[in-house]
């Protein structure tokens, strides 16, 4: 090293050592971030409840905190939307980290409502018979005890319950709230991890079939970590390309309208190979979360193994959050690149729709069936994403809202059909359910018809909106494939209905548990939303289309 | 004021919902709830009518737009109402006669356990029928059209424990489907031809011409014929007439309201409402008059041979609607008279049916007129009201039927040319036969010796007058039967009322009005006289004699069911059998083949899901590699 270089180091250091005149305190718009902050705060309170509230009262305290927090957060979302933050006052908050705009608020509202219904199903304690005089829920007495061990038996006998699921759920929701509104890549990544980690844990704590549940959690965690690595690598490459993690700056660099270039990055900046690979890897991470083929393999195993209330919540809310993030990424950061990503996404949407629908046909487990159905639905939603038009955004928003209620409702019904071994998820056991419990079977039939996209259900309105947007966006082929896979999918949905209503019930068939008002509420809301969005979708389509503009 | 229109439909609809969803706790009061909702609708109708009378003839079209029902591209269907003089006439008839029949049913259905449901269905019928006549476009009309079909089905089969009732309901439903198909095809044709099926732009309104005439003659004729097919189904016109006789299996108030006064006249409404289409398609109009003429004779002949009092009246209904259809087919010469006859017929035929119901009520539900006789002593009110209805329908001078039927016969002659002579003669002949069969009914029921006997269980009927809730509606309807015609005709009131909507022309009659009236009178006397000689002078055998060939044919409804069975049922069976063959071999082959290959693919793909995280990770890695490569490749090419 030459002397001058050393000197320069020295002088630089000396310069740095000079007192820095002023650190600008970051400006945080607490009011506009209040939905997320409320939920995070409640999650922290939940942790404190675990530590300080007596064991007997914890369940009630946790449910209370969770419901109040989610309702308050939803009220905050509504207030923000009413205050015009979804439309005219939409802007970037928290020093560029969070976007407060229409899609954010719409998706946050959807996630919060799904979260409330999720809390209801989590809190259900009447389905299983009482163990040693204690009411039990879907979760293991003590998650840390080895399945089948003495310590597990002791925990059951002592009446332990895993009330930690409520704060975990709240942490997951807080991540999901940030995910679709993240406005830079680092916030995006942190939100991804914040909502993923609690979900991995929640998957592992089933009361019944604990080994399967733990296996599902490990699989989900390993594959999730794998996908996160891809995402992070993609973020690094995009930073290398644009010299910034901010969505707006990257978009400017892509468009070639950037002004002040950081000289340190001048070497790599504007290198399209970095851009393309980075984009592909980040998108891949998001596709993993939505369960698109070929990143879908975790879905059936995890959906089947996880406790059913967790599956219902995860299937609904994760999809909402991840599609929200994907929309923002593709519409805000990479619109200039749409000629590059559209063909690839076309292919992904096609294999996802067809793959989900085709493999679902031979499924014999209702939870796996719904998992494959969710894969097919991811494909349908992708068709709307690819439209790259305002209609595309609003149709996807509407679809997500409609789909999440149907999903939570359907999985809540699954929790009701039980036999001696817990939930009777094998399809053969559902034969003749319509004769034995016509109401439950009819409600499930409504959900299935909505999944199949039969008119007068929300599924039809959503599918119609998405396909319309896709067709107008020039993706006619995609619509044709979508309709064909809908036809394939209709087969297995209708087959379940036929099985429930037109087969003879088996003598040793399952019983339908009478749930508490909690699960009943979740199912009733699911049915009501399904029918209302199906019969009179226009108001909500208008709402979604008002909310369909991203802030840049 | 115009916002009241929706309430007309909403009131009975609400009644139906309350009654059908209310459950058993409403069993005790259901009949009064139903009657109250029907009466509410009538009061609203009266208020609207008064309002309409207060305006000049050109301002009498009220419209109310509720909401846009379906809007896809150019296809636009609204839920909106149009109340003009034509609709108003129907609304008053439907709600007025409907309320009376609700009241009558309170007494008639007193001992029926399921009467709450009965009144719910009646309310449902009123709502659907009002929707039918108030709709401002054909699609909404179609909703009402199907609604009345449903209500009719439910009510014909109301006593579903009787297999004959269940079969009759099914028959009515199926035959009506044929007509409904015609209506749906007509609507589709209208949309493809004119781009709209809303009344305003299509049929025109005050001061502006509709687009209904702007199409080729072929298309217009097709649309008109499809509308006629629909009318044939609903109004029991040849060749879709076979259901009406069997529909008498329903409770008698239903026969009076639905199968005499209102629903069966919906076909006439459809034709008159679509006047703009029919006027532009003279060939179709000719077919309409032929259908009307044939049916008017057909129904009359059938009516002559029936011993079942309700079936005789059903034949008569068919025949009278034949008159209306004939008149409607005459174009502007006949529209007004078709509707006028429809209204007067609504009064006297409903009255006759209620009278028949009253007779049955007193006779242990016996319907065979050969087992009646001499009932005038036992049921004086029924006798008088039925008698007035009888005089009205045969066209006794001064009563309602005299004015309205006479006008139709005159209009038929006024059509001109050979057609005019044929149609006029047919209408005249029909008048004679009407006098014959109605006199027969009258004599067999109310005159002569009593012929009833104890039934199989030894119960001898004790004929008695019906309760007041039944006689009051009969009296009110009898007033209508007597005075409505004169009221409408003096000073051409009805003509001036309806003319702005339907248009009117006098035509050019080769015979004078006076000649027609005199000829009608002579034929009336001849018809009634023959019946008197046959049934009044000599005693009526309790067991029907074998009868002539024509009588036997008429008893079997002129072999209409046999015809339908041989031609349609057998033919249909052969067709379906061959279609089933094609379906099994060809269609199912393709479908099952596709399904099997998809299923096979599913099984193979499923094996990829082996449960190992390592292979899942490989698939993700592979997917990522492909996506990256494809993205780069996209840029390269």
């Amino acid at each position: 090293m030459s002397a001058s270089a050393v000197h320069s180091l020295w002088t630089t250091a000396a310069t740095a050592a000079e007192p820095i005149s002023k650190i600008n305190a970051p400006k945080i718009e607490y009011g506009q971030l209040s939905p997320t902050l409320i939920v995070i705060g409640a999650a922290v309170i939940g942790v404190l409840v675990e530590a300080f509230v007596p064991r007997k009262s914890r369940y009630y305290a946790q449910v209370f905190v969770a419901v109040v927090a989610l309702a308050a957060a939803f009220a905050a979302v509504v207030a923000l939307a009413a205050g015009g933050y979804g439309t005219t006052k939409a802007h970037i908050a928290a020093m560029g980290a969070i976007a407060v705009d229409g899609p954010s608020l719409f998706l946050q509202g959807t996630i919060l409502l799904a979260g409330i219904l999720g809390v209801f199903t989590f809190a259900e304690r009447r389905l299983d018979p009482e163990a040693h005089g204690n009411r039990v829920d879907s979760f293991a007495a003590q998650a840390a005890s080895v399945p089948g061990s003495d310590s597990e038996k002791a925990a059951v006998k002592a009446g332990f319950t895993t009330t930690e699921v409520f704060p975990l759920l709240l942490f997951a929701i807080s991540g999901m709230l940030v995910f679709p509104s993240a406005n830079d890549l680092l916030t995006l990544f942190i939100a991804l991890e914040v909502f993923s980690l609690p979900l991995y844990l929640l998957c592992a704590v089933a009361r019944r079939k604990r080994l399967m549940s733990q296996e599902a959690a490990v699989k989900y965690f390993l594959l999730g970590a794998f996908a996160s690595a891809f995402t992070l690598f993609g973020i690094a490459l995009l930073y290398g390309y644009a010299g910034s993690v901010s969505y707006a700056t990257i978009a400017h660099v892509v468009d070639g309208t950037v002004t002040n270039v950081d000289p340190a990055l001048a070497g790599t900046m504007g290198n399209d190979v970095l851009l393309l690979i980075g984009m592909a890897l980040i998108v891949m991470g998001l596709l993993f979360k939505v369960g698109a083929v070929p990143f879908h393999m975790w879905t059936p195993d995890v959906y089947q193994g996880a406790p059913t209330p967790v599956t219902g919540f995860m299937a609904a809310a994760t999809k909402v959050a991840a599609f929200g993030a994907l929309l923002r990424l593709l519409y805000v950061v990479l619109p200039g690149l749409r000629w590059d990503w559209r063909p690839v996404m076309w292919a992904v949407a096609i294999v996802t729709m067809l793959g989900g629908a085709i493999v679902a046909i031979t499924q014999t487990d209702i939870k796996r069936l719904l998992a494959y159905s969710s894969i097919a639905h991811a494909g349908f939603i992708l068709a709307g994403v690819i439209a790259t038009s305002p209609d595309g955004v609003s149709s996807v928003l509407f679809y997500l809202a409609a789909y999440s209620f149907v999903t939570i409702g359907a999985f809540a019904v699954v929790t009701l059909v039980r036999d001696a071994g817990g939930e009777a998820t094998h399809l053969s056991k559902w034969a003749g359910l319509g004769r034995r419990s016509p109401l439950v079977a009819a409600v499930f039939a409504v959900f299935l018809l909505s999944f199949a996209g039969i008119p007068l259900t929300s599924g039809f309105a959503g599918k119609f909106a998405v396909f319309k947007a896709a067709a107008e966006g020039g993706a006619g082929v995609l619509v044709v494939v979508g309709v064909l896979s809908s036809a394939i999918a209709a087969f297995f949905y209708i087959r379940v209905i036929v099985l429930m209503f037109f087969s003879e019930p088996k003598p040793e068939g399952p019983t339908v548990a009478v749930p508490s008002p909690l699960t009943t509420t979740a199912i009733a809301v699911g049915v009501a939303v399904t029918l209302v969005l199906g019969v009179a979708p226009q108001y909500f389509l208008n709402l979604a289309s008002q909310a369909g503009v991203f802030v840049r | 004021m115009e916002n009241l229109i929706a309430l007309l439909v909403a009131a009975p609809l609400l009644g139906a919902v309350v009654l059908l969803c209310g459950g058993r706790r409403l069993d005790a009061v259901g009949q009064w709830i139903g009657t109250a909702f029907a009466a509410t609708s009538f009061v609203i109708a009266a208020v609207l009518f008064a309002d309409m009378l207060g305006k000049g003839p050109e301002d009498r079209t009220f419209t109310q737009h509720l909401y846009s029902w379906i809007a896809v591209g150019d296809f636009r269907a609204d839920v909106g109402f149009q109340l003009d003089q034509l609709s108003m006439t129907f609304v008053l008839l439907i709600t007025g006669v409907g309320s009376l029949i609700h009241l009558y049913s309170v007494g008639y259905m007193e001992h029926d356990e399921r009467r709450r449901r009965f009144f719910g269905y009646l309310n449902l019928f009123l709502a659907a029928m009002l929707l039918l006549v108030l709709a401002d476009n054909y699609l909404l009309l179609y909703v009402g059209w199907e609604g009345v079909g449903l209500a009719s089905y439910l009510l014909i089969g109301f006593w579903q424990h009787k297999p004959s009732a269940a079969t009759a309901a099914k028959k009515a439903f199926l035959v009506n489907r044929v007509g409904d198909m015609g209506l749906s095809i007509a609507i589709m044709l209208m949309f493809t031809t004119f781009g709209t099926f809303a009344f305003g732009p299509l049929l025109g309104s005050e001061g502006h011409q509709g687009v209904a005439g702007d199409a080729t003659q072929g298309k217009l004729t097709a649309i008109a014929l499809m509308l006629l097919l629909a009318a044939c189904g609903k109004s029991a016109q040849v060749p879709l007439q076979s259901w009406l006789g069997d529909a008498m299996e329903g409770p008698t108030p239903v026969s009076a309201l639905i199968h005499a006064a209102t629903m069966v006249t919906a076909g006439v409404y459809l034709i008159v409402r679509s006047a703009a289409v029919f006027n532009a398609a003279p060939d179709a109009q000719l077919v309409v008059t032929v259908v009307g003429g044939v049916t008017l004779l057909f129904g009359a002949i059938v009516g002559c041979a029936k011993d079942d009092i309700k079936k005789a009246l059903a034949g008569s209904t068919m025949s009278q609607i034949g008159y209306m259809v004939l008149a409607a087919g005459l174009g502007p010469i006949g529209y007004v008279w078709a509707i006028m006859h429809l209204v007067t017929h609504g009064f006297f035929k409903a009255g006759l049916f209620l009278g028949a119901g009253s007779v049955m009520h007193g006779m242990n539900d016996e319907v065979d007129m050969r087992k009646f006789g001499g009932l005038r002593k036992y049921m004086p009110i029924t006798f008088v009201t039925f008698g007035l209805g009888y005089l009205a329908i045969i066209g006794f001078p001064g009563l309602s039927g005299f004015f309205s039927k006479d006008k139709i016969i005159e209009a038929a002659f006024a059509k001109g040319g050979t057609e005019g002579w044929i149609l006029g003669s047919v209408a005249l002949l029909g008048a004679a036969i009407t006098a014959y069969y109605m006199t027969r009914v009258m004599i067999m029921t109310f005159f002569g010796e009593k012929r009833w006997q104890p039934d199989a269980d030894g119960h001898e009927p004790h004929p008695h007058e019906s309760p007041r809730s039944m006689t009051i509606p009969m009296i009110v309807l009898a007033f209508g039967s007597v005075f409505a015609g004169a009221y409408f005709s003096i000073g051409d009131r009805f003509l001036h009322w309806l003319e702005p909507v339907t248009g009117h022309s006098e035509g050019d009659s080769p015979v004078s009005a006076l000649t027609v009236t005199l000829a009608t009178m002579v034929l009336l006397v001849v018809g009634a006289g023959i019946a008197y000689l046959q049934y009044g002078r000599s005693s009526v055998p309790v067991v029907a004699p074998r009868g002539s060939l024509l009588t036997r044919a008429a008893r079997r409804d002129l072999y209409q069911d046999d015809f339908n069975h041989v031609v349609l049922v057998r033919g249909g069976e052969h067709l379906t059998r061959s279609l089933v063959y094609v379906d099994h071999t060809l269609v199912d082959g393709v479908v099952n083949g596709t399904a099997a290959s998809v299923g096979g693919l599913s099984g193979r793909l499923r094996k990829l899901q082996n449960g190992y995280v390592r292979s899942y990770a490989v698939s993700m890695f592979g997917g990522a590699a492909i996506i990256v490569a494809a993205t780069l490749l996209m840029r390269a090419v």
Side-chain angles (χ1 to χ4, degrees):
Chain A
M1 192 178 284
S2 68
S4 64
V6 171
H7 180 71
S8 83
L9 275 175
W10 166 249
T11 50
T12 311
T15 321
E18 280 172 16
I20 295 164
S21 58
K22 194 175 168 190
I23 295 177
N24 286 329
K27 183 165 158 286
I28 305 291
E29 295 86 341
Y30 291 101
Q32 291 153 38
L33 303 178
S34 57
T36 316
L37 296 176
I38 291 171
V39 176
I40 293 180
V44 172
I45 292 173
V47 173
L48 295 176
V49 166
E50 281 303 316
F52 295 112
V53 173
R55 193 181 288 280
K56 285 205 164 172
S57 332
R58 272 184 214 162
Y59 165 81
Y60 301 99
Q62 292 288 20
V63 174
F64 177 78
V65 168
V67 171
V68 168
L70 293 174
F74 182 71
V77 167
V78 172
L80 286 175
Y85 284 99
T87 47
T88 47
K89 290 206 243 163
H91 70 124
I92 313 276
M95 310 289 287
I98 302 280
V100 180
D101 59 6
S104 287
L105 292 173
F106 189 95
L107 294 170
Q108 286 178 343
T110 309
I111 293 168
L112 287 166
L113 287 180
I116 293 175
L117 297 187
V119 172
F120 286 169
T121 54
F122 275 40
E124 176 63 54
R125 300 177 95 180
R126 292 220 190 132
L127 297 176
D128 259 336
E130 294 184 358
H132 303 286
N134 298 305
R135 287 199 167 151
V136 296
D137 50 22
S138 304
F139 303 102
Q142 195 172 30
S145 61
V146 176
S149 66
D150 289 341
S151 72
E152 186 191 31
K153 287 180 191 128
V156 172
K157 199 164 188 183
F160 290 179
T161 48
T162 310
T163 42
E164 290 89 343
V165 293
F166 296 102
L168 284 173
L169 178 69
L170 290 178
F171 277 122
I173 292 175
S174 68
M176 289 172 180
L177 295 180
V178 176
F179 201 46
S181 51
N183 200 50
D184 68 46
L185 292 171
L186 282 180
T187 312
L188 179 84
F189 184 74
I190 288 164
L192 174 73
E193 293 304 312
V194 167
F195 85 74
S196 296
L197 289 169
L199 285 180
Y200 302 147
L201 279 175
L202 285 170
C203 287
V205 295
R207 167 174 291 273
R208 310 263 193 172
K209 297 174 189 156
R210 287 192 62 198
L211 285 173
M212 210 168 147
S213 162
Q214 293 182 348
E215 180 190 329
V218 171
K219 277 182 187 168
Y220 191 18
F221 170 66
L222 288 175
L223 295 173
F226 192 46
S228 292
F230 279 101
T231 310
L232 198 53
F233 189 31
I235 290 173
L237 291 178
L238 271 195
Y239 178 74
Y241 165 77
S244 167
V245 290
S246 151
Y247 282 8
T249 314
I250 300 173
H252 282 307
V253 177
V254 172
D255 292 342
T257 53
V258 73
T259 43
N260 52 339
V261 177
D262 186 340
L265 289 161
T268 54
M269 215 167 141
N271 184 337
D272 275 2
V273 175
L274 291 183
L275 169 68
L276 292 174
I277 298 177
M279 172 190 82
L281 293 181
I282 295 176
V283 167
M284 190 223 116
L286 295 174
L287 290 176
F288 172 83
K289 282 292 165 197
V290 304
V293 176
F295 314 109
H296 68 291
M297 308 285 265
W298 61 277
T299 319
D301 292 11
V302 174
Y303 277 25
Q304 188 185 14
T308 310
V310 174
T311 311
F313 169 74
M314 182 167 76
T318 309
K319 207 155 255 168
V320 178
F323 267 113
L326 185 62
L327 274 178
R328 189 176 296 279
L329 193 71
L330 295 181
Y331 282 61
V332 174
V333 186
L334 305 169
L337 272 187
R338 64 172 168 278
W339 303 114
D340 291 296
W341 59 257
R342 274 183 75 167
V344 180
M345 294 291 274
W346 263 56
V348 172
I350 287 175
V351 293
T352 305
M353 288 190 277
L354 284 177
I358 289 176
V359 184
I361 288 179
T362 44
Q363 297 306 313
T364 52
D365 185 282
I366 189 76
K367 283 169 84 178
R368 284 186 88 82
L369 180 83
L370 292 177
Y372 281 104
S373 134
S374 92
I375 294 170
H377 280 280
F380 298 139
I381 304 175
L382 274 179
V385 172
I386 295 169
T388 49
S389 63
D391 272 357
V393 179
S394 66
S395 70
V396 169
L397 296 182
F398 180 85
Y399 200 117
L400 288 170
Y403 175 78
S404 49
F405 285 97
V406 184
T407 305
I408 290 189
F411 278 106
V413 174
V414 171
T415 62
L416 302 184
V417 182
R418 311 178 79 88
D419 59 14
E423 287 157 12
T425 54
H426 199 273
L427 269 179
S428 65
K429 295 187 177 161
W430 286 57
L433 194 71
R435 309 258 177 102
R436 209 171 284 155
S437 315
L439 185 65
V440 170
V443 164
F444 199 61
V446 169
F447 291 136
L448 288 174
L449 291 176
S450 182
F451 279 134
I454 305 295
L456 296 186
T457 61
S458 58
F460 172 76
K463 238 177 227 178
F464 186 80
V466 165
F467 287 161
K468 184 166 164 253
E472 281 168 1
V477 179
L478 215 51
V479 175
V480 171
V481 174
V483 171
L484 284 179
S485 10
S486 295
I488 298 173
F491 168 77
F492 58 78
Y493 296 126
I494 308 289
R495 197 183 58 172
V496 176
I497 296 179
V498 170
L499 190 73
M500 288 193 300
F501 286 98
F502 301 105
S503 304
E504 285 302 318
K506 289 190 177 170
E508 73 283 10
T511 52
V512 172
V514 179
S516 68
L518 292 166
T519 302
T520 312
T521 310
I523 296 175
V525 170
V527 172
V529 172
T530 304
L531 294 180
V532 168
L533 293 191
V535 174
Q538 202 54 50
Y539 172 78
F540 300 92
L541 282 170
N542 291 346
L543 193 68
S545 101
Q546 278 171 21
V549 183
F550 287 102
V551 68
R552 277 165 211 271
Chain B
M1 194 53 79
E2 309 195 340
N3 296 335
L4 285 177
I5 302 175
L7 283 181
L8 277 174
V9 182
L13 189 63
L14 181 64
V17 171
V18 167
L19 288 170
L20 295 178
C21 301
R24 297 216 179 86
R25 72 203 89 142
L26 293 181
D27 274 354
V29 292
Q31 66 274 37
W32 295 112
I33 296 178
T35 311
F37 277 110
T40 309
S41 199
F42 176 66
V43 170
I44 299 168
V47 170
L48 282 166
F49 181 55
D51 187 50
M52 190 181 272
L53 284 181
K55 301 198 167 157
E58 63 285 352
D59 297 326
R60 283 181 177 168
T61 301
F62 298 171
T63 53
Q64 182 184 9
H65 179 257
L66 279 192
Y67 58 94
S68 192
W69 180 21
I70 308 166
V72 181
D74 296 337
F75 184 91
R76 184 184 164 84
D78 287 342
V79 174
F81 298 125
Q82 173 178 335
L83 182 69
D84 55 13
Q85 290 95 321
L86 178 61
S87 308
M88 194 72 235
T89 311
F90 271 89
V91 166
L92 287 173
L93 179 74
I94 296 162
T95 55
V97 175
S99 302
L100 287 174
I101 287 174
H102 271 76
L103 183 62
Y104 176 91
S105 308
V106 172
Y108 191 85
M109 301 297 281
E110 199 177 355
H111 304 298
D112 198 299
E113 287 173 0
R114 295 164 67 235
R115 60 167 187 261
R116 171 180 57 84
R117 191 181 291 249
F118 178 82
F119 279 86
Y121 292 160
L122 275 189
N123 271 212
L124 178 67
F125 167 76
L126 282 190
M129 188 73 203
L130 289 168
L131 184 64
L132 196 166
V133 298
L134 286 171
D136 75 348
N137 64 72
Y138 279 98
L139 199 66
L140 192 62
L141 179 147
Y142 188 72
V143 176
W145 189 268
E146 292 294 322
V148 294
L150 169 69
S152 159
Y153 166 80
L154 292 170
L155 286 165
I156 294 171
F158 185 72
W159 286 320
Q160 54 200 216
H161 52 87
K162 291 199 293 184
S164 56
T167 315
K170 209 188 287 176
K171 183 173 177 183
F173 199 78
L174 286 177
V175 175
N176 265 292
R177 300 311 304 161
V178 181
D180 298 349
M181 196 57 106
L183 184 53
S184 57
I185 293 173
I187 296 173
M188 294 181 220
L189 277 175
M190 283 182 209
F191 181 71
T192 54
T193 313
F194 307 114
T196 176
F197 42 68
F199 290 165
L202 186 60
L203 305 173
S205 55
E206 196 64 41
H208 108 102
Q209 183 78 27
V211 294
D214 310 341
T216 61
Q217 199 50 228
K219 274 199 172 163
L220 282 168
T221 308
I223 294 173
L225 287 181
M226 283 299 129
L227 289 172
L228 174 64
L229 182 66
C232 283
K234 205 52 97 195
S235 295
Q237 300 293 295
V238 174
L240 296 179
Q241 81 291 9
S242 67
W243 63 273
L244 187 60
D246 294 306
M248 296 300 128
E249 288 290 342
T252 307
V254 172
S255 311
L257 176 62
I258 299 184
H259 304 119
T262 55
M263 185 192 84
V264 285
T265 58
V268 182
Y269 171 77
L270 185 68
I271 296 175
V272 175
R273 174 58 79 197
S274 315
V277 176
F278 280 93
N279 290 345
D283 294 342
Q285 279 185 316
L286 181 65
V287 181
V288 176
T289 55
V290 170
V291 166
V294 169
T295 312
L296 102 80
L297 289 181
F298 189 107
I301 292 170
V302 170
C304 293
K306 291 289 182 185
D307 291 332
D308 178 327
I309 185 169
K310 285 178 71 184
K311 292 205 170 166
L313 291 177
S316 156
T317 303
M318 213 185 276
S319 167
Q320 298 300 314
I321 298 172
Y323 272 108
M324 300 168 208
V325 170
L326 192 156
L330 296 172
I333 314 174
Y335 290 135
V336 173
W337 311 128
I339 299 299
M340 183 160 126
H341 192 55
L342 191 155
V343 175
T344 58
H345 174 255
F347 284 119
F348 55 68
K349 186 52 67 59
L352 288 168
F353 264 109
L354 295 189
S358 175
V359 168
M360 289 160 59
H361 197 67
M363 293 292 290
N364 291 353
D365 286 332
E366 181 59 62
V367 288
D368 188 349
M369 293 189 290
R370 292 186 184 275
K371 294 179 184 160
F372 293 162
L375 287 175
R376 68 180 188 282
K377 281 173 285 191
Y378 300 92
M379 328 182 149
I381 301 177
T382 306
F383 168 63
V384 171
T385 55
F386 195 94
L388 290 172
Y390 155 73
L391 291 176
I393 192 174
I394 64 172
F396 191 81
L399 271 64
S400 289
F402 168 76
F403 293 102
S404 53
K405 199 189 291 177
D406 210 45
K407 284 292 186 190
I408 292 183
I409 300 174
E410 280 172 32
F413 280 112
K415 172 84 173 167
T418 328
E419 284 169 39
W421 278 104
I422 296 175
L423 293 173
S425 313
V426 166
L428 271 177
L429 181 60
I433 308 178
T434 307
Y436 171 79
Y437 69 75
M438 282 313 298
T439 309
R440 176 176 174 271
V441 169
M442 195 69 198
I443 293 175
M444 284 174 84
T445 306
F446 291 103
F447 292 93
E449 294 301 307
K450 63 172 196 171
R451 293 185 299 274
W452 61 87
Q453 291 148 352
D455 62 13
D457 304 334
H459 297 297
E460 189 168 344
H462 297 286
H464 55 272
E465 191 52 86
S466 299
R468 204 167 302 158
S469 70
M470 290 170 67
T471 50
I472 290 174
M474 286 154 59
I475 294 167
V476 175
L477 287 172
F479 268 94
S481 315
V482 174
F483 299 113
Y487 178 79
F488 289 160
S489 295
I490 293 170
D492 282 335
R493 282 203 186 96
F494 201 75
L495 177 61
H496 294 314
W497 161 254
L498 211 53
E499 195 185 356
V501 182
T502 59
H504 184 67
S505 73
E506 279 302 328
D508 179 23
S509 183
V511 284
S512 72
L514 188 64
T515 321
V516 171
T517 310
L518 285 177
T520 316
M521 285 305 107
V522 171
L523 285 167
L524 188 160
V525 172
V526 171
I530 295 175
Y532 175 70
L533 290 177
Q534 243 181 316
Y535 296 93
R537 295 287 293 275
S538 48
S539 63
V540 179
V542 176
V543 178
R546 189 151 178 275
S548 68
L549 202 62
L550 180 63
T551 311
R552 273 179 278 150
R555 273 191 200 134
R556 298 203 59 169
D557 301 315
L558 298 178
Y559 300 121
Q560 57 185 6
D561 286 336
D562 307 74
F563 175 82
N564 286 351
H565 187 75
V566 172
V567 177
L568 300 178
V569 178
R570 292 268 173 77
E573 277 172 359
H574 282 295
L575 184 66
T576 46
R577 235 174 269 152
S578 35
L579 283 179
V580 164
Y581 177 75
V582 173
D583 188 51
H584 271 305
T585 49
L586 204 68
V587 180
D588 279 8
V590 174
V591 170
N592 291 341
T594 314
S597 50
V598 171
L601 186 61
S602 173
R604 273 192 286 282
L605 285 178
R606 198 183 162 189
K607 295 212 176 88
L608 292 176
Q609 189 81 24
N610 56 12
Y612 291 115
V613 172
R614 53 176 186 259
S615 59
Y616 295 179
V618 167
S619 120
M620 282 169 63
F621 186 80
I626 292 172
I627 285 187
V628 168
T631 315
L632 291 175
L633 207 64
M634 280 302 145
R635 179 55 70 90
V637 288

